[in-house]
Amino acid sequence: MEEYFIPFQLELQQKLPVVKGNKDYTEFRKTLVRIDEIIRLGKLEEVLINAMLQEVEEKGKRRAKEQGKKYKQLKAKARKRFQNNCIKAFRCGIVRHLTGEAYRRFSCRLAESALFQQFCGISFLEEIKVPAKSTLERYEKMVPGWVIEHVVNHLNFSAQENSEQGEYQKLKLKNRINWDDYFLDTTCIKANIHFPVDWVLLRDGTRTLMRGVRIIRNHGLKNRMADPGEFMRQMNKLSIKMTHTRRRKDSKKKRKKVFRLMKKVIKKVSYHAEKHIELLKKNWKDTDLSEAEAMQIVDRLERILEQLPQAVYQAHERIIGERQIKSKNKILSLYEKEIHVIVRGKANAEVEFGNTLFLGEQRDGVILDWRLYKEQASDDSKMLSESLEKLRDRHAGYQPGKVTADRGFDSPGSRNYLKGLEIKNNICPRSVKRLEEKLQDKDFCECQNRRSQTEARIGIFKNQFLGKPLKSKGFDYRDLYIHWSVLAHNLWLIARLEKVDEKQKNFEKAA
């Protein structure tokens, strides 16, 4: 990759106060200082900036070509300003995902914490300017997922190689991480939606449409209708009735009656929403809204109106017709399109709603590969070949010596694939007979015993780094959030690994 990074001198920062009596704070501060050291030793900021500037250059060249103009490179001053923003985005994103705070809450913590200010590089002597919640959001979303993935790969590679001098490991780890063992598993990243009951979609549609209509009316564009809040109250009352008819003897008859009333309300709501959309399209100049703001409101309402007929049909088939609908034809949410019904048969969740996440880790728990599937995920056994090919592409032909996973990854294709690559197959077989044979192998038993930690790793990653549930909206933003979380997780994990004792090393060298 071409070098775009411009070296610059760090500004003087305030000294951290000495805090005693709080062990948790002391350990967290130690971890954050070690992460800062890892970032500098691994030159992660330079890797990030080079990738970001390359992205900017390529976009600028494409835009200039489309406009028939000559591309002009960024001047040194603009490039330096862009570098500073990238570094702030990088460090603020890491700390936010380590703490798991929302943008608003993290902005407040950043303003009051000297430790966070120094890590993020804003603890200047004259004044401290803290990014607001909107700025923090823009920071994280300005970094594409492939750039974060590139930084994570560089971090992982640095953690397993020696320094150029050969005296220390590159990140000053006592034992560099070993990539020989590869552990795989999949999980479901649940979408931030309520349980997708069919008639609840009508309630959601009513709320969104009437709130949009209320915004349009507040800006001076009105069409004759009752108060939008009245339609919301009607739908809420019908929703309560629908809930309370469940345990009655004539529950089916009552549910059908209530649903027919819901259909009448949603028909009126859709009509008024369409009228107000037409008003806004024609007369947005008469309001204090900009064209972009007006089109944002129109797009939001039109997305709901497009889905309402299918939602009504879906509820009609289930409640009136008492017929099932195939999962692929269902609307699970009016706001999240790229989610699926995932049947995993777990004790606490027979059926889940979201996207499949694949994770591959090495023995110490460092995540080497991951992927959030937008479409319905393929069989687990197919993910194995995709992951190993990706690892070889990233790391110049690297492949692990052993692969361990649960029986979901076992298939004739995966067995033949691993045999062809001369990788030891420690995947738990589905066949009882083959399992009995495998249990005679001590290495297989040891790796399967270690695989239980992969389940725990997924729990840590989902609950501590992603949040429960993951609150980002839209597949692209959920995927980006996972990239940031993998970066924060790997930095946190590597920072907690045993560091080389430099004093002992110098003493041995002198002796």
Side-chain angles (χ1 to χ4, degrees):
M1 183 179 289
E2 187 179 347
E3 292 290 333
Y4 293 91
F5 180 77
I6 298 177
F8 61 93
Q9 185 176 359
L10 295 174
E11 296 188 38
L12 293 175
Q13 298 203 26
Q14 298 180 13
K15 187 178 179 180
L16 282 176
V18 178
V19 179
K20 293 184 178 180
N22 190 316
K23 183 180 178 181
D24 293 330
Y25 169 79
T26 303
E27 290 181 352
F28 181 73
R29 173 173 169 168
K30 184 179 177 181
T31 302
L32 210 59
V33 170
R34 175 64 175 137
I35 289 175
D36 178 72
E37 184 183 23
I38 289 170
I39 290 172
R40 298 190 187 282
L41 290 172
K43 298 182 179 179
L44 302 186
E45 291 173 333
E46 295 181 22
V47 173
L48 173 86
I49 291 168
N50 281 327
M52 287 294 293
L53 287 171
Q54 182 184 5
E55 173 92 354
V56 171
E57 295 270 325
E58 290 177 355
K59 283 185 178 179
K61 288 176 182 177
R62 285 197 301 269
R63 193 181 301 114
K65 188 176 180 180
E66 290 172 0
Q67 297 175 355
K69 298 179 181 179
K70 186 179 179 180
Y71 173 69
K72 295 181 180 180
Q73 290 186 342
L74 287 175
K75 294 181 180 179
K77 190 174 181 180
R79 184 171 291 189
K80 185 179 178 182
R81 185 167 57 249
F82 182 75
Q83 284 186 185
N84 290 336
N85 287 335
C86 287
I87 291 172
K88 285 182 186 177
F90 183 61
R91 288 178 170 266
C92 289
I94 290 170
V95 181
R96 194 181 82 82
H97 285 266
L98 281 173
T99 58
E101 299 284 7
Y103 292 114
R104 187 186 297 274
R105 177 64 182 159
F106 178 68
S107 181
C108 291
R109 288 196 63 183
L110 188 57
E112 65 191 14
S113 172
L115 177 63
F116 289 172
Q117 291 165 8
Q118 188 177 80
F119 181 85
C120 295
I122 59 173
S123 180
F124 303 130
L125 296 176
E126 293 183 358
E127 64 175 0
I128 298 172
K129 188 175 181 181
V130 178
K133 62 178 181 63
S134 301
T135 306
L136 290 170
E137 184 178 7
R138 283 195 298 271
Y139 275 165
E140 287 191 18
K141 290 178 180 178
M142 72 182 271
V143 185
W146 75 267
V147 173
I148 301 173
E149 189 172 342
H150 179 63
V151 174
V152 172
N153 294 335
H154 185 82
L155 169 66
N156 294 345
F157 190 76
S158 299
Q160 67 89 39
E161 69 171 349
N162 292 321
S163 65
E164 295 175 358
Q165 291 77 15
E167 296 179 3
Y168 298 107
Q169 198 278 330
K170 191 169 184 179
L171 302 182
K172 295 188 179 181
L173 297 173
K174 186 174 182 180
N175 299 307
R176 65 194 185 106
I177 67 171
N178 184 7
W179 289 7
D180 192 53
D181 293 340
Y182 192 39
F183 300 89
L184 317 176
D185 208 348
T186 58
T187 186
C188 173
I189 301 300
K190 294 183 181 179
N192 187 22
I193 62 171
H194 52 64
F195 192 83
V197 182
D198 300 313
W199 54 267
V200 177
L201 295 177
L202 306 187
R203 185 201 66 185
D204 291 346
T206 300
R207 285 180 178 179
T208 303
L209 291 176
M210 288 298 97
R211 284 174 179 174
V213 166
R214 180 179 285 169
I215 290 171
I216 295 171
R217 293 173 69 84
N218 287 342
H219 285 280
L221 300 180
K222 297 183 179 181
N223 192 58
R224 186 173 180 180
M225 64 173 290
D227 179 46
E230 182 60 32
F231 293 100
M232 294 165 68
R233 284 189 287 273
Q234 289 179 23
M235 187 59 78
N236 285 339
K237 287 179 181 178
L238 293 173
S239 298
I240 294 170
K241 282 185 180 180
M242 183 70 83
T243 303
H244 290 302
T245 58
R246 182 180 175 187
R247 296 183 180 178
R248 295 187 179 182
K249 290 183 179 180
D250 55 348
S251 61
K252 286 187 178 180
K253 186 177 179 180
K254 292 283 187 183
R255 281 168 62 85
K256 291 178 181 180
K257 183 178 179 181
V258 174
F259 177 69
R260 289 187 178 101
L261 294 175
M262 281 185 165
K263 286 172 71 174
K264 290 182 179 179
V265 174
I266 202 68
K267 188 175 180 180
K268 292 179 182 177
V269 166
S270 300
Y271 171 78
H272 290 304
E274 288 172 356
K275 288 293 183 182
H276 281 80
I277 287 172
E278 290 176 10
L279 273 175
L280 185 58
K281 284 181 177 179
K282 292 179 181 177
N283 305 310
W284 67 267
K285 291 181 180 179
D286 298 335
T287 68
D288 58 348
L289 293 170
S290 66
E291 185 176 6
E293 290 172 336
M295 291 305 106
Q296 179 66 27
I297 296 170
V298 169
D299 290 342
R300 186 192 311 157
L301 299 184
E302 285 184 341
R303 279 199 300 269
I304 301 299
L305 286 172
E306 287 173 3
Q307 298 177 81
L308 272 184
Q310 175 62 25
V312 172
Y313 170 78
Q314 182 174 303
H316 180 92
E317 288 292 295
R318 294 289 297 276
I319 297 173
I320 306 294
E322 298 181 17
R323 293 180 287 269
Q324 289 188 347
I325 296 177
K326 293 182 179 180
S327 295
K328 63 180 181 180
N329 298 327
K330 285 181 182 177
I331 294 178
L332 301 177
S333 171
L334 296 176
Y335 315 104
E336 297 284 352
K337 291 185 178 181
E338 298 93 356
I339 57 176
H340 311 283
V341 179
I342 300 176
V343 182
R344 298 177 58 82
K346 298 292 183 180
N348 63 339
E350 178 71 24
V351 179
E352 297 173 292
F353 305 95
N355 300 90
T356 300
L357 175 67
F358 168 87
L359 279 182
E361 64 165 357
Q362 53 83 237
R363 186 168 285 273
D364 294 309
V366 176
I367 297 172
L368 299 180
D369 187 29
W370 70 96
R371 182 182 174 186
L372 184 67
Y373 284 82
K374 187 173 185 177
E375 305 299 333
Q376 190 77 40
S378 57
D379 195 30
D380 286 358
S381 58
K382 294 181 180 178
M383 299 180 188
L384 171 62
S385 58
E386 293 176 2
S387 178
L388 291 176
E389 288 173 8
K390 194 188 294 184
L391 286 178
R392 285 201 300 274
D393 292 340
R394 287 176 182 170
H395 303 294
Y398 156 79
Q399 66 180 31
K402 307 171 190 175
V403 171
T404 307
D406 59 23
R407 62 184 58 196
F409 286 86
D410 183 51
S411 71
S414 61
R415 291 195 293 269
N416 293 332
Y417 181 76
L418 292 176
K419 186 177 180 181
L421 294 175
E422 298 181 353
I423 298 174
K424 185 170 182 182
N425 182 3
N426 282 334
I427 298 174
C428 183
R430 301 187 186 190
S431 167
V432 177
K433 185 177 179 180
R434 290 190 68 254
L435 178 58
E436 290 175 351
E437 294 174 358
K438 281 279 192 179
L439 289 174
Q440 305 304 315
D441 184 355
K442 290 184 179 180
D443 185 62
F444 171 82
C445 294
E446 192 277 330
C447 286
Q448 282 296 321
N449 187 46
R450 163 61 182 79
R451 190 185 63 80
S452 62
Q453 297 179 32
T454 305
E455 301 280 354
R457 180 64 49 199
I458 286 177
I460 292 170
F461 183 70
K462 288 174 66 175
N463 298 329
Q464 301 300 321
F465 289 88
L466 294 185
K468 198 174 180 182
L470 174 58
K471 293 185 178 180
S472 295
K473 296 290 185 181
F475 177 84
D476 292 336
Y477 291 135
R478 288 200 299 275
D479 187 44
L480 182 62
Y481 196 100
I482 287 171
H483 280 70
W484 275 107
S485 298
V486 170
L487 172 63
H489 170 272
N490 283 6
L491 282 168
W492 168 78
L493 188 77
I494 293 171
R496 293 168 71 244
L497 296 176
E498 190 174 0
K499 185 183 174 184
V500 67
D501 188 347
E502 294 184 47
K503 291 182 180 179
Q504 180 66 23
K505 197 87 172 178
N506 293 333
F507 177 78
E508 292 174 358
K509 188 178 178 181

